[in-house]
Amino acid sequence: MKYEKKLINDILNILKENEYTLSASVVGSIENKSFDQISDIDIVIVLDYLSFEKIDLIKNVLLKIDLSKYKLNKKIRINDTFGPLKFDNKDELVFHLMIYDVDSHFEHVINSPFTCFDWERTNLFTNKPMKDIFSVRRLMLNDFLSSRRGIYDYINDIKNKQISYRKYVKDSSGEIKESKESFNLDERHKTEYGFHIVKNTITNHIKVLEGLNKRYDGEEFLNKWKKLEPDLFLKYSDFFNDLYRNKLEKEYKTNLDENTLINFLDDFYKIIEEKYKNSIKILLVRHLRTELNDGRLFGQYFDPDINENETINLENFKHFDLNKMKIYSSPMKRALQTVEKFKFKQNVLTDDRLLELNYGDSDGLMFEDFLNRFPDYKEKVDSEYDFTFPNGESYSDLEKRMYKLLGGAIENMTLFTHQGPIRTVLGSLFGIPPGLYFKIQIPHAIPLEIIKIGENFIPNINREIFGSIFKDFKYVQQ
């Protein structure tokens, strides 16, 4: 593995010297494999700004690498498409080059969370790690249904006998844009793609339920699959093992059983549906806007009415039968008035655990005014550690009272509350330190779903909404 590691280090050092590179990572399996065990080297780069000139500059520098220094009698080939296409032959080493800027990486996280989450695991990077540009944070059941490499895309590709991928092209004004293309599935790609689908579908399912970002291979993968979904394992593990063996041996003559692959995905989809159906659903809803929702520290002391023109967009709630759920509300007027808009048939229970964060003596102050009045707190804020507001609460205190309520959930329920309580729940589930909860932006009157499977709470939020909630964690160039 000596020469493989040297090549990786040299690639990263070359990219580090590029003044436009914010982040560069080598991802995929090369970290633990030799050259003859890999089909390509996956390189992900985030630039300050996308242009064909910058992309060509990177390509040209990488093409100048002399592979003979790594005991390889091969030429370098650049594959700059986005997707699972394989272009290598025995005389070439393929660099699969995927280049983004901050905005396009942000969009990629929203559209392809499975891929980006996998990439975030690498320790082979230079400058900033990819997750510092913008992070998936964790996977959700909803990702299987709405992401680019979700179940529907897989089924469409197989039925159409194609692989969908993307590449950069020039638009009518000469600017760079992403174009969706397709590639006919040949025997080699059928095997590679079939293996990719089964392995990643099961792996990502494990990641959703465990809340971890871990690579599973070999016996560990098979044992996890067997324990998690024994019926699916019994039905499809032989099919998977055949794909794996053909992939390793590069035996592509046997036709892929496309119907078995489609049946696998159909059966998996039924499992996802059943898991969701049998889970406890908890909707977190922030109250409608008031005149004091203007950026100030707005907690428990003031209790204004919601704005007169505020309405509920029921389209946002169409997937939920709220009348069959237990309804809880903060006792604050702004929460109760929001509840009234729904005209619920069942009784609404108030619970003090849903109160907004207690800002104590700083309640009602703009943040800058708070720091001016309590200058000792500036160092606490800058440290990004959690702290207790003067004569008030900390986010950790608020998180504890929220989980006392959630921990007792035995049926579906909707909680009408405030930004602070929802921040603590989402922050904890997405692995954000309490000292940074203040950066989470909760929309008004939008249902944010948490599901409880066993004793585990799993967020289940649309990725577009996720992007707006966590937009302040997106890297900003200085």
Side-chain angles (χ1 to χ4, degrees):
M1 304 296 291
K2 172 184 174 182
Y3 292 108
E4 289 80 359
K5 290 180 179 179
K6 177 172 172 50
L7 176 57
I8 291 170
N9 289 334
D10 289 349
I11 289 171
L12 292 176
N13 286 331
I14 288 170
L15 296 173
K16 184 177 182 178
E17 294 174 0
N18 186 312
E19 61 180 311
Y20 310 118
T21 301
L22 301 178
S23 170
S25 305
V26 174
V27 300
S29 57
I30 188 173
E31 185 175 6
N32 302 306
K33 293 186 178 181
S34 59
F35 287 129
D36 60 353
Q37 292 176 305
I38 62 170
S39 56
D40 50 18
I41 298 177
D42 295 315
I43 306 167
V44 183
I45 302 169
V46 182
L47 301 177
D48 57 353
Y49 179 75
L50 271 179
S51 71
F52 282 113
E53 289 76 15
K54 292 179 181 179
I55 292 173
D56 288 342
L57 177 65
I58 290 171
K59 286 182 183 179
N60 291 334
V61 172
L62 292 176
L63 284 169
K64 291 178 181 177
I65 292 176
D66 181 6
L67 293 182
S68 65
K69 294 195 309 183
Y70 314 96
K71 305 299 180 182
L72 281 172
N73 184 26
K74 293 187 177 186
K75 294 181 179 179
I76 294 172
R77 177 171 181 170
I78 300 289
N79 168 17
D80 60 354
T81 66
F82 303 94
L85 293 186
K86 303 296 181 182
F87 291 109
D88 63 304
N89 62 52
K90 63 180 182 179
D91 299 320
E92 296 177 328
L93 179 63
V94 175
F95 289 178
H96 188 185
L97 199 60
M98 295 159 280
I99 302 179
Y100 305 86
D101 60 11
V102 174
D103 288 339
S104 58
H105 172 69
F106 178 90
E107 290 300 320
H108 194 217
V109 167
I110 301 305
N111 292 324
S112 300
F114 295 135
T115 300
C116 293
F117 196 55
D118 196 49
W119 288 350
E120 287 180 16
R121 197 176 55 249
T122 185
N123 292 316
L124 305 174
F125 66 87
T126 189
N127 296 346
K128 290 188 174 296
M130 198 184 315
K131 63 185 178 182
D132 282 3
I133 307 298
F134 191 67
S135 175
V136 176
R137 303 214 165 261
R138 70 174 293 167
L139 298 181
M140 300 178 278
L141 282 183
N142 184 62
D143 292 331
F144 283 109
L145 306 179
S146 59
S147 71
R148 185 175 292 162
R149 287 290 165 195
I151 292 172
Y152 294 131
D153 275 6
Y154 281 146
I155 290 175
N156 286 335
D157 279 352
I158 296 164
K159 287 181 177 178
N160 294 329
K161 301 184 186 301
Q162 293 180 329
I163 290 178
S164 58
Y165 67 96
R166 286 165 169 75
K167 68 177 184 178
Y168 288 134
V169 298
K170 288 184 180 180
D171 63 16
S172 57
S173 62
E175 294 296 314
I176 195 167
K177 74 170 186 177
E178 207 175 88
S179 173
K180 186 173 182 178
E181 309 286 338
S182 62
F183 179 90
N184 291 333
L185 282 167
D186 57 21
E187 297 306 319
R188 188 256 175 91
H189 282 88
K190 284 180 182 179
T191 299
E192 295 273 3
Y193 199 30
F195 173 81
H196 168 91
I197 288 172
V198 179
K199 174 74 184 301
N200 288 352
T201 298
I202 297 299
T203 298
N204 289 326
H205 186 35
I206 296 169
K207 290 178 183 178
V208 168
L209 297 180
E210 294 188 346
L212 301 174
N213 190 2
K214 185 179 176 182
R215 183 182 181 91
Y216 300 99
D217 287 312
E219 289 300 315
E220 184 184 19
F221 168 75
L222 293 173
N223 289 335
K224 283 274 186 183
W225 179 6
K226 185 176 182 179
K227 183 177 179 180
L228 179 65
E229 303 296 348
D231 292 341
L232 201 70
F233 178 85
L234 183 63
K235 191 172 180 179
Y236 296 104
S237 57
D238 286 345
F239 173 68
F240 170 76
N241 287 329
D242 285 343
L243 287 172
Y244 186 42
R245 184 167 49 252
N246 289 346
K247 173 181 164 65
L248 286 180
E249 296 173 0
K250 298 190 176 182
E251 175 58 63
Y252 306 124
K253 295 178 182 178
T254 304
N255 287 331
L256 174 68
D257 187 345
E258 296 166 6
N259 289 331
T260 300
L261 199 52
I262 291 172
N263 290 339
F264 165 80
L265 290 172
D266 285 340
D267 287 346
F268 179 78
Y269 176 65
K270 291 172 185 174
I271 287 172
I272 294 295
E273 275 193 324
E274 194 67 18
K275 269 198 169 58
Y276 178 74
K277 179 182 176 182
N278 293 330
S279 68
I280 294 173
K281 289 84 172 169
I282 301 168
L283 300 185
L284 303 170
V285 184
R286 186 184 181 189
H287 62 81
L288 288 165
R289 189 176 295 276
T290 78
E291 63 180 8
L292 294 184
N293 289 119
D294 56 2
R296 72 182 67 222
L297 303 176
F298 176 28
Q300 300 179 13
Y301 184 77
F302 298 96
D303 197 13
D305 295 318
I306 60 175
N307 292 339
E308 187 176 345
N309 60 348
E310 291 290 312
T311 58
I312 297 287
N313 184 355
L314 294 177
E315 185 71 13
N316 294 325
F317 294 82
K318 66 181 181 180
H319 298 299
F320 310 104
D321 190 350
L322 271 60
N323 284 311
K324 291 184 178 179
M325 302 178 84
K326 200 92 170 181
I327 307 298
Y328 290 85
S329 175
S330 159
M332 303 300 285
K333 192 187 301 181
R334 54 194 184 270
L336 290 169
Q337 288 178 348
T338 301
V339 171
E340 289 174 7
K341 298 277 186 180
F342 288 87
K343 298 180 170 49
F344 289 116
K345 300 173 184 176
Q346 69 271 49
N347 291 330
V348 176
L349 305 173
T350 58
D351 195 305
D352 288 349
R353 289 172 291 188
L354 293 172
L355 284 166
E356 178 59 285
L357 180 69
N358 181 358
Y359 289 107
D361 298 338
S362 55
D363 201 322
L365 296 177
M366 290 296 184
F367 198 71
E368 288 302 317
D369 295 332
F370 158 63
L371 293 179
N372 290 333
R373 186 173 298 187
F374 301 96
D376 292 345
Y377 277 79
K378 188 176 189 313
E379 184 176 343
K380 296 178 181 180
V381 172
D382 291 342
S383 72
E384 296 188 347
Y385 287 103
D386 195 26
F387 62 89
T388 301
F389 283 90
N391 293 316
E393 285 181 300
S394 67
Y395 273 115
S396 295
D397 295 329
L398 177 52
E399 183 178 326
K400 288 175 185 175
R401 64 172 157 94
M402 278 300 292
Y403 274 101
K404 284 181 180 178
L405 175 59
L406 295 178
I410 58 174
E411 59 186 318
N412 297 342
M413 59 186 188
T414 300
L415 309 179
F416 288 89
T417 182
H418 309 266
Q419 174 158 251
I422 302 175
R423 278 174 166 171
T424 67
V425 175
L426 296 189
S428 65
L429 293 178
F430 283 107
I432 293 172
L436 296 178
Y437 284 175
F438 72 93
K439 295 177 68 175
I440 303 172
Q441 302 301 316
I442 305 300
H444 292 272
I446 299 290
L448 304 175
E449 185 179 45
I450 308 297
I451 59 176
K452 187 179 181 184
I453 298 178
E455 295 303 312
N456 296 324
F457 293 97
I458 302 172
N460 199 41
I461 299 169
N462 174 276
R463 280 289 168 184
E464 294 289 343
I465 295 174
F466 170 91
S468 67
I469 290 172
F470 293 100
K471 61 185 177 182
D472 286 352
F473 290 86
K474 178 180 171 183
Y475 176 74
V476 177
Q477 298 180 57
Q478 303 300 318

